[in-house]
Amino acid sequence: RAKTGNRGEYSFFTRDMADDIRERVRLLQALRHAIERQRLFLVYQPQLSLDTGHVCGVEALLRWRGDDGQLIPPDRFIPIAEHSGLIVSIGEWVMRTACRQQVELAQQGFPQIRMAINVSVIQLRHPQFLRSLSEALSESGADPRCIELEITESVAMLEADFISRMLDQIKALGISIALDDFGTGFSSLSYLRRLNIDRLKIDRSFISSITSGGRAQRIPELVMQLGQTLGLAVIAEGVEVAEQAAALSLIGCNEAQGYLYARPMESRMLLDWLRART
Ligand code: C2E
Ligand code: MG
Ligand code: MG
Ligand code: MG
């Protein structure tokens, strides 16, 4: 009980918390509603090879269009979906939709493009996760070699044995795995070596400071060395300006994603964008 000598402060504090809870409940109800009425959709952001300029992948990102037509950002509703368990069914829908989109891309002449799908730890912990994943693959006919799951580094650090066994089983399906937001989660090197992963995704915060001239500038370079040592590919997220891309090329990072190249786009726009480039 947060008690202060000042009654005014005390009631302000609790009213604040009550507001917060009410807001979460409202959002959760609205989210349930949005799922029923199919107001969730995916957008896709290209991932490019810095050497060739070719598109090597796209990341599927969830969007929610509210009743007023405004987009509600994932950072606001995903925590609520995770807390309530709704993320399990949302995540299944994301996997099915993204797998179908991979097939669509292949049919439209882009069979090499990788589809990266974000997965939350709540999904991974769910006993049906592997089954949902393999069903998404088989129902869609997606090429598992073109499917990649993105798991945040901080999540991969939890429950080490469980996660590492889980990743082995995911890999057995032929799917690849990237550690998202890498550099923010304090992975131990020995644990990292044990994890069956393919790619490190350098967190955006390190890309924005890569041309700062400060000490933070060196972090992407360290990630590159780590990737080389462990035999992992490295991609940079959040590349916004050409100077950042140049700095990445200099340290040998040859894959990048960010507003400099393209914003996340709806499926039809993505196909137009891809065709216009080739
Ligand atoms: P993330 O997986 O790290 O995704 C990258 C985020 O950076 C995306 O934000 C993307 O739109 C944004 N971004 C890309 N390039 C740039 C850039 O150049 N500058 C800036 N400022 N931002 C850039 P978004 O779409 O808002 O997603 C936020 C987070 O929500 C994601 O971070 C991911 O953790 C989560 N998320 C999104 N979709 C899903 C999903 O389907 N399932 C789950 N579990 N999480 C998701
Ligand atoms: Mg991601
Ligand atoms: Mg990320
Ligand atoms: Mg991120």
Side-chain angles (χ1 to χ4, degrees):
R1 218 174 123 163
K3 205 164 176 191
T4 70
N6 183 319
R7 289 180 73 181
E9 259 175 54
Y10 175 76
S11 61
F12 176 75
F13 175 58
T14 50
R15 202 186 311 134
D16 218 37
M17 289 203 325
D19 281 350
D20 195 53
I21 292 166
R22 262 194 294 277
E23 169 66 7
R24 282 163 157 277
V25 170
R26 194 193 63 76
L27 258 180
L28 178 57
Q29 272 162 356
L31 182 57
R32 288 213 173 92
H33 219 71
I35 294 167
E36 281 164 22
R37 296 188 309 148
Q38 306 181 358
R39 303 295 295 236
L40 298 183
F41 60 101
L42 292 180
V43 289
Y44 304 90
Q45 187 179 31
Q47 303 180 329
L48 280 84
S49 156
L50 292 175
D51 301 335
T52 63
H54 290 160
V55 179
C56 13
V58 294
E59 180 179 16
L61 294 159
L62 195 55
R63 293 292 179 265
W64 170 11
R65 178 142 354 249
D67 289 333
D68 56 1
Q70 299 272 7
L71 286 180
I72 298 136
D75 288 335
R76 239 183 106 209
F77 70 86
I78 284 179
I80 290 168
E82 288 179 328
H83 199 74
S84 61
L86 271 184
I87 193 68
V88 172
S89 54
I90 294 175
E92 284 173 357
W93 177 83
V94 168
M95 292 194 291
R96 284 200 307 272
T97 308
C99 282
R100 280 198 213 116
Q101 184 65 37
Q102 189 278 320
V103 174
E104 169 77 5
L105 286 175
Q107 285 170 349
Q108 298 294 326
F110 305 98
Q112 319 288 359
I113 293 183
R114 196 169 65 220
M115 175 66 62
I117 305 172
N118 292 286
V119 166
S120 122
V121 71
I122 309 289
Q123 290 174 265
L124 285 180
R125 277 210 212 102
H126 193 274
Q128 298 297 322
F129 177 76
L130 283 168
R131 187 206 273 195
S132 310
L133 178 59
S134 42
E135 275 175 12
L137 285 175
S138 57
E139 280 168 15
S140 60
D143 181 352
R145 291 168 304 179
C146 289
I147 302 292
E148 182 159 278
L149 299 190
E150 292 194 359
I151 293 159
T152 58
E153 186 200 10
S154 53
V155 154
M157 289 304 292
L158 305 165
E159 308 155 276
D161 288 329
F162 169 74
I163 295 287
S164 116
R165 265 183 281 122
M166 198 65 198
L167 298 192
D168 290 344
Q169 288 173 283
I170 293 170
K171 290 278 297 177
L173 297 171
I175 291 174
S176 60
I177 294 166
L179 276 195
D180 207 344
D181 304 339
F182 191 77
T184 60
F186 308 106
S187 289
S188 83
L189 296 181
S190 57
Y191 178 47
L192 205 54
R193 193 185 50 172
R194 205 150 61 85
L195 281 185
N196 203 342
I197 54 173
D198 303 277
R199 199 182 314 279
L200 304 174
K201 194 166 185 186
I202 310 176
D203 190 66
R204 191 165 81 215
S205 58
F206 302 115
I207 306 308
S208 55
S209 54
I210 197 173
T211 53
S212 66
R215 267 202 284 182
Q217 186 177 1
R218 304 291 307 277
I219 291 172
E221 206 174 334
L222 286 172
V223 178
M224 287 310 301
Q225 285 163 8
L226 189 59
Q228 221 150 39
T229 307
L230 298 175
L232 305 171
V234 179
I235 183 169
E237 71 174 6
V239 178
E240 293 183 345
V241 294
E243 288 74 26
Q244 292 164 348
L248 286 166
S249 284
L250 265 182
I251 61 170
C253 177
N254 44 29
E255 268 196 49
Q257 171 183 351
Y259 296 167
L260 174 63
Y261 310 104
R263 300 230 166 204
M265 296 171 268
E266 287 186 51
S267 147
R268 193 180 317 166
M269 274 259 291
L270 173 69
L271 276 166
D272 290 344
W273 187 88
L274 288 170
R275 287 194 194 103
R277 289 181 63 89
T278 50

